Amino acid sequence: MALLWFDPNSPVLSNWQVFAQDFLSKFGVFDTVAEAKGNLFNLQMCNDKRFTTFTIHFEKEAYETDWNYNALWFALCCTLPQHIKDIFCFTPKQLSYNSYKASITQINQWNSNRQIGAAASNQTTGDVLPPNSAAQLLLG
């Protein structure tokens, strides 16, 4: 019966990505922990994305890894945009993973509110927004 389905011209036999997609669709993921770890290392928070939205995706993958808080702390730090990392250079060191997440949320919310306010004032004056840097965010 299987010989009736065999097609020697099938792209599954000549293209690795097509084969892998077809295999995954039929059998599923073999190692969900390894996939979650890979997904964590490939996550990257965009500059315009809210941290509260991003952390949902991060925590979903983190739950699958069974990592301790130190490993999650490191992985989270690697996913942050540079402007948030720059601000952390000037803040007190956070002692726990949850306090680190709370600080990121505050920084991200403050930065978003600042950008919204700057955009609103620039619409009335016609000015161009200055580039975002950690010094401008802290001194502003």
Side-chain angles (χ1 to χ4, degrees):
M1 186 74 169
L3 290 176
L4 296 176
W5 295 332
F6 180 71
D7 179 11
N9 297 324
S10 173
V12 172
L13 298 176
S14 60
N15 186 327
W16 174 254
Q17 287 190 343
V18 174
F19 170 78
Q21 288 174 346
D22 188 49
F23 186 84
L24 284 175
S25 70
K26 288 186 170 85
F27 299 105
V29 177
F30 175 71
D31 189 355
T32 57
V33 174
E35 182 187 36
K37 289 176 182 179
N39 290 344
L40 273 180
F41 283 117
N42 290 325
L43 273 177
Q44 198 65 37
M45 182 178 158
C46 300
N47 287 336
D48 59 345
K49 196 170 192 179
R50 309 250 332 149
F51 180 70
T52 50
T53 305
F54 174 75
T55 193
I56 293 169
H57 301 291
F58 183 86
E59 293 286 333
K60 177 183 159 256
E61 299 295 341
Y63 179 77
E64 295 289 326
T65 63
D66 199 28
W67 282 349
N68 65 16
Y69 282 125
N70 290 332
L72 291 176
W73 193 338
F74 175 78
L76 181 61
C77 183
C78 291
T79 64
L80 296 175
Q82 191 60 44
H83 71 276
I84 291 179
K85 292 178 189 176
D86 290 342
I87 293 172
F88 266 110
C89 293
F90 301 103
T91 62
K93 181 170 173 45
Q94 301 302 314
L95 300 177
S96 73
Y97 173 71
N98 289 328
S99 64
Y100 188 67
K101 288 191 325 183
S103 296
I104 296 169
T105 302
Q106 289 176 348
I107 291 169
N108 187 245
Q109 184 176 11
W110 178 72
N111 189 36
S112 295
N113 291 342
R114 182 174 167 87
Q115 287 177 346
I116 290 169
S121 67
N122 287 340
Q123 285 179 349
T124 59
T125 62
D127 293 341
V128 176
L129 282 174
N132 257 344
S133 69
Q136 289 172 332
L137 292 173
L138 290 172
L139 299 175

